[in-house]
Every structure is written in C-alpha cells, then in structure tokens.
Amino acid sequence: MPGRRRERVGLALAGGGPEGAIWEIGALRALDEAIEGLDLNELDVYVGVSAGSFLAANLANGLTPVQMCRAIVKHAPGEHPFNPEIFFTPALGEFVRRGLSVPALAARALAAFAANPRDRTLLDSMTRLSRALPVGVFDNEPIRRYLRGIYSLPGRTDDFRRLRHRLFVIAADLERGRPVVLGSKEWQHVPISRAIQASSALPGLYPPVEIDGRRFVDGVLLKTLHASVALDAGVRLLLCINPIVPVDVSAGRSGTDGSGDTWAEDFDLERRGLPTVLSQTFRTLIHSRLVVGMSAYRKKYPGADVLLFEPGRDDYGMFFTNVFSFSARRRVAAHAYQATRRDLLARYDELAPLFAAHGARLKREVLEDDTRDLWEGVGLPRDEHATVVRRTVDRLDRALDRLERLLGR
C-alpha cells in the first residue's frame, strides 16, 4: 500500500523458444498494467532460463513491457526488433567441420574392424561415424551479437556488475551436469549476452557455449524456472511465468487458431510429425518437473509467496502458431495478455490480499475493463477482429460464471 516499505520482490522467467518469449511478453504487459505499486523494471531480483533469460535481462536493463510488445511487431528507430529468424540461423560452419571429419572417422572404423573382425561387426565399428553428427543444427553466435547490440545502446549494459538490480541467468555445465548461476559473484565477469547465449543453448538445436574453458547448455535441462535462486536471495514475493505447458487435445478434434482458420488434423499430434511429438514430450517432462518443484518451494520457503502464471493446457492458440509472421506474433502476445488478465481476475479474491500484504494493489477495475486492447495500450493500432472475438468469449465466460453461481445456490 502507498507509504509502506515494499518487501523484496523477484521475477522468474522460464524458456520456451521464440513463441514462449512472445507469450511471456504479453503476460508481462498484463501484470504491468494490473498491479499498482509494482514496477517490473524496479524489482530486486530477476532470474531467467533460456529464452526467459533474454526477457529478464531486458527488464533489468530498463526495457519496459511496452517496449518489448512494440518490438514484436514494429521496427522502431534506434531499437532492435524481436526477429525469431535470428534463433534459426543454420550452423553451416558446424556442418562443414563435422563433414570434413567423416573420411578419417570412416578409416579408423574400418581399421578397428579389420584388426579384430571376430570381436565386433562392421556395423559396430561404423558407429564411430556418429561423432560426425553436428551437436547443433542452428548457430547461436547471431543471437549473442543481437543481444550485445541491444545492451550496448545508451543507458543499458552488457555487464552484470553495472546493473541496478540483481540478474541471474541459469545455464547447465555440460561436463558436470550441474546448474551454474551466471551473474552470481563467481560469474559476474561474463557478458550478459554470452550468458544468455549459454542459457538458451538447447542440445541438438544449438552447440554448447564455452565460458572460461567450460561448456554450457540450456539451463532448462535441470530445472524449469530455478525459482529457488531468487528465493535464496531473500525474495518474499516471486512472480513466475512459464510458457512450457503440454497441450491437451482430448477435448475436441476441431477449432480455430484465432485467425478464423479451422484445424483439420492439427489435433492429431502424431499426424503432425516428429517435431510435434518431441515438443509434446519435452513439454510434458518439463511441466511435470515444475509441478513438483512448486510444491517443494512452498515447504522450503514458508515465508515467501510464489505465484505462477502459465497458459492453460487447452490454449491451442499458443501451441499451433507460426511466430515467423507478424500477425501470428500479434495473436500470441495478445492472447497471452488477455489470458493473464482473465487468470488474475479469476484469482482476484486470492491474489488481492496477497499483493496488498507486499505493498501493491491488484486493480480490479482494470481487469474488469473488457475494452482494453494490448496493442492500443502500447500505442499501436488495435486488432479489431481479435477484439471482437475476445469480447464475445469474455461475455460468454461471465454469463456462464453467473449461471454456475446461481445453480450453486
């Protein structure tokens, strides 16, 4: 409340690739405008994993949720637009280097078979060729250069030690299989851009990132949020955003993606191919681990309040979207914005006293204002089609809620 000293507040952001980052941006904007007395650029501790580390570093560097929303769809002068394409630059150098190793590997495999043909088959010997497989399909050096450009602008920094608030970026030490908190005292010398590059180096997609002679990969391999890093730093109120949720398609076999197009086979994950099956598997593993972790936080940190915001499992607009088009990015961000607003309103009776206890106010009048539009709120043209659909859905939700209460009585 006004005049009351605010307790330590933190933010933990999970990964989720470009589409996850866009969802988190929309959710951040919803939180930003709905909570009075809580400036997302003035929190005490920021923790980021993978793509979430990029957004956490942006906030710690003074980039507002409004600026990040605008960067998704508008190339403003002096700013670096959010281009998902930079995350998918083919690792041509890695392919060439590994390809050049094939002749030597094949020769050694044949020599090993010839030396002892009774001990192993030719196929066993040729497994040596697996060393020629690239460790990453995409090059993450363009990501680092892009981030360095953002944090080199006036008023920003690529140095953990020059930030006004504490920022922790989590990566996994490949050789040791342990998390490393980049930005902590031992690792403050690492440039923020390099730390984010390491934290988002998902094995198979990106090669490991070398820092001080050690190789690092995506921090999500060990934990989804690493919220304990913020809680160990003394945070009493921790906001967590996680876009990595498995989709539940059991409710139906048809729907729309928010653009008016209908899905035919999109609900059959197997028919969508290996990438979709792997994505669903990855999301399921990550989310089940998160559920266990959140339960453990409540027991280990009884004096702290940990709030989680994430998509619903039936949030098809999040899962079946191609974020390479501006219109799709707009839909994902706007969808996250409205979904987070609905979540805050549905949990108002629980959250309002909790925020008040930490010196902030959850503004019900903002959450109940169904005329609010993400893009109009950040100074961009309103998405009229999405607004009409949203208002219709919101009215239906409220009508059903009233009916449910009446029947309950």
Side-chain angles (χ1 to χ4, degrees):
M1 308 308 295
R4 174 174 175 171
R5 186 179 183 276
R6 180 173 63 78
E7 295 181 305
R8 292 176 66 82
V9 180
L11 176 70
L13 300 174
E19 65 274 18
I22 292 173
W23 198 95
E24 288 181 301
I25 289 172
L28 285 168
R29 174 55 183 160
L31 295 171
D32 183 46
E33 71 172 10
I35 306 173
E36 180 182 346
L38 199 65
D39 187 339
L40 292 182
N41 293 109
E42 296 293 335
L43 302 183
D44 300 288
V45 178
Y46 297 89
V47 177
V49 184
S50 196
S53 64
F54 166 50
L55 303 184
N58 285 354
L59 291 169
N61 253 301
L63 276 80
T64 66
V66 169
Q67 288 176 295
M68 288 191 278
C69 285
R70 292 174 63 87
I72 294 173
V73 296
K74 184 177 177 63
H75 296 182
E79 285 293 342
H80 287 250
F82 180 78
N83 291 323
E85 291 83 356
I86 68 166
F87 291 89
F88 301 106
T89 303
L92 299 179
E94 171 74 2
F95 280 97
V96 170
R97 184 173 66 85
R98 297 282 176 168
L100 292 175
S101 69
V102 170
L105 289 172
R108 286 197 289 270
L110 291 173
F113 172 71
N116 200 346
R118 295 182 180 179
D119 185 53
R120 63 177 65 187
T121 66
L122 178 60
L123 182 60
D124 290 336
S125 300
M126 295 305 288
T127 56
R128 186 186 296 262
L129 289 175
S130 63
R131 300 180 186 180
L133 293 173
V135 293
V137 178
F138 302 110
D139 186 1
N140 48 15
E141 265 301 301
I143 299 175
R144 185 190 64 80
R145 292 195 295 267
Y146 166 77
L147 296 170
R148 185 178 62 184
I150 291 177
Y151 304 140
S152 297
L153 292 174
R156 302 174 192 168
T157 180
D158 199 24
D159 190 333
F160 283 102
R161 296 163 293 192
R162 297 181 63 186
L163 292 171
R164 295 178 57 246
H165 306 288
R166 302 178 73 181
L167 169 67
F168 299 115
V169 173
I170 316 301
D173 187 318
L174 181 61
E175 280 85 9
R176 294 168 176 81
R178 296 176 181 175
V180 171
V181 183
L182 302 171
S184 60
K185 186 175 181 179
E186 182 183 355
W187 297 97
Q188 285 185 326
H189 64 284
V190 179
I192 295 172
S193 56
R194 178 72 74 183
I196 297 172
Q197 179 192 17
S199 180
S200 57
L202 185 64
L205 291 183
Y206 301 106
V209 175
E210 184 173 336
I211 300 176
D212 293 352
R214 293 162 65 174
R215 291 180 175 83
F216 295 91
V217 294
D218 198 320
V220 80
L221 297 184
L222 299 172
K223 287 184 180 180
T224 307
L225 277 165
H226 291 269
S228 58
V229 174
L231 296 170
D232 287 336
V235 165
R236 309 301 290 175
L237 172 62
L238 182 62
L239 308 179
C240 303
I241 303 180
N242 168 51
I244 310 175
V245 178
V247 64
D248 182 354
V249 297
S250 63
R253 291 291 175 182
S254 65
T256 65
D257 61 3
S259 65
D261 298 329
T262 58
W263 300 318
E265 59 190 50
D266 282 357
F267 277 76
D268 191 331
L269 301 184
E270 182 180 1
R271 290 183 63 183
R272 290 177 63 88
L274 179 61
T276 298
V277 172
L278 290 178
S279 174
Q280 176 75 336
T281 302
F282 175 76
R283 288 173 176 274
T284 302
L285 291 172
I286 293 296
H287 193 258
S288 62
R289 185 177 62 186
L290 173 65
V291 172
V292 174
M294 294 297 289
S295 176
Y297 294 147
R298 285 191 288 271
K299 297 178 182 178
K300 186 175 180 181
Y301 306 95
D305 292 307
V306 182
L307 303 180
L308 176 64
F309 301 93
E310 59 185 9
R313 294 179 62 129
D314 58 350
D315 198 341
Y316 308 127
M318 167 66 182
F319 298 101
F320 302 117
T321 302
N322 176 11
V323 295
F324 286 96
S325 71
F326 280 112
S327 61
R329 293 178 218 173
R330 287 180 66 104
R331 287 198 299 273
V332 170
H335 185 74
Y337 169 78
Q338 296 297 347
T340 304
R341 281 168 46 81
R342 289 193 296 269
D343 186 22
L344 288 168
L345 184 57
R347 298 162 62 187
Y348 181 85
D349 291 340
E350 166 202 351
L351 298 180
L354 189 151
F355 280 118
H358 292 277
R361 183 176 78 91
L362 185 58
K363 298 185 284 190
R364 184 164 199 146
E365 68 276 12
V366 170
L367 298 174
E368 291 181 335
D369 183 1
D370 64 0
T371 66
R372 287 183 175 265
D373 176 81
L374 171 62
W375 305 113
E376 191 174 65
V378 301
L380 296 176
R382 178 188 289 262
D383 187 340
E384 294 294 345
H385 173 77
T387 300
V388 171
V389 173
R390 174 179 56 79
R391 287 181 181 174
T392 302
V393 172
D394 286 346
R395 292 192 185 102
L396 178 60
D397 283 343
R398 288 196 295 273
L400 291 174
D401 287 341
R402 287 195 295 269
L403 177 61
E404 186 177 2
R405 287 195 295 270
L406 289 171
L407 292 175
R409 293 171 186 171

